[in-house]
Structure formats: C-alpha cells, structure tokens
Amino acid sequence: MEFLRDLWLFLKERKKYWLIPIIIVLFLLGLLIVFGGSSAVAPFVYTLF
C-alpha cells in the first residue's frame, strides 16, 4: 500500500494526472492476463490478442 501512496503523491505533486488512465489500463490488462490464463475464459481471452 505504501507504493500506491507514493505513486499518488508523485502524480499529485508533479501534476501528472494524465498518467492515471494509463496506469488503470495497464492494471486491468494485467488482471485479464492473470485471471484469464488460469480459468475457463482463457480461450476467449486469447482471441482478443
């Protein structure tokens, strides 16, 4: 949790709010890869890429 706090403080201090959507998309893609590779949804996830 400290990493997320430091990241938020960095974004707030440097006024880099445009990075927030990029971070969210990367996080969601990571979740898709992790959970999609080990479930019954895997064949459908692989068709996206």
Side-chain angles (χ1 to χ4, degrees), residues 4-20 23:
L4 294 176
R5 185 177 150 268
D6 287 341
L7 180 63
W8 174 251
L9 290 175
F10 170 78
L11 294 174
K12 195 168 103 173
E13 181 179 326
R14 307 251 191 231
K15 309 259 189 280
K16 302 277 186 190
Y17 297 115
W18 56 271
L19 285 174
I20 293 173
I23 293 170

Side-chain angles (χ1 to χ4, degrees), residues 14-33:
R14 307 251 191 231
K15 309 259 189 280
K16 302 277 186 190
Y17 297 115
W18 56 271
L19 285 174
I20 293 173
I22 297 171
I23 293 170
I24 291 172
V25 167
L26 287 174
F27 178 75
L28 291 176
L29 279 174
L31 285 177
L32 181 67
I33 290 171

